[in-house]
Amino acid sequence: MAKSILQNERYCYLCKVWYNLRTVRGLEEHHIFPAARGGLSERLGLKVWLCHAHHNEPPLGVHFDARAMRWLQDDARRAYDAVHGAGALDEILRDKEGGRNGLADLS
């Protein structure tokens, strides 16, 4: 599927951004928006590599820390909108508006 729009190399995104560390072992791919959105993160490249601690371990893991999850989502939104225009991702993320499904428009 699509490559990440946030990373070109495999390292823990949060270790690098928050601590300036380049963690390359024990990486797991994280889809920034939930799978319930029909694979949106995979299709749009809204994914990053995270070390296990930042992915799936409390208290630092994005699946346990709502602030970290929100930070990643905001960063993905900025990256997507920088390429596609302000508000582009929010338009896609709307489940339904006026009978339109944002995901269907991507097909």
Side-chain angles (χ1 to χ4, degrees):
M1 288 301 216
K3 290 184 179 183
S4 172
I5 65 169
L6 296 158
Q7 287 182 291
N8 292 322
E9 299 177 44
R10 285 178 60 141
Y11 56 84
C12 177
Y13 189 75
L14 294 180
C15 284
K16 181 67 174 165
V17 173
W18 289 351
Y19 311 115
N20 199 28
L21 297 173
R22 198 166 191 282
T23 305
V24 296
R25 290 187 181 189
L27 298 177
E28 301 167 357
E29 189 175 53
H30 174 66
H31 294 87
I32 296 173
F33 293 95
R37 295 223 181 251
L40 177 71
S41 292
E42 183 68 35
R43 291 166 60 192
L44 299 181
L46 304 173
K47 55 191 179 177
V48 293
W49 290 102
L50 298 174
C51 65
H52 184 70
H54 278 128
H55 188 224
N56 249 342
E57 287 294 322
L60 299 176
V62 294
H63 292 288
F64 298 92
D65 183 347
R67 289 182 309 157
M69 176 67 82
R70 175 52 114 179
W71 188 90
L72 270 180
Q73 290 175 346
D74 289 346
D75 211 31
R77 183 175 283 105
R78 282 189 293 274
Y80 191 85
D81 288 354
V83 174
H84 301 283
L89 185 57
D90 285 333
E91 186 175 328
I92 292 169
L93 290 174
R94 273 184 246 155
D95 289 334
K96 292 184 181 180
E97 184 173 308
R100 190 180 90 190
N101 181 331
L103 293 177
D105 295 339
L106 295 175
S107 303

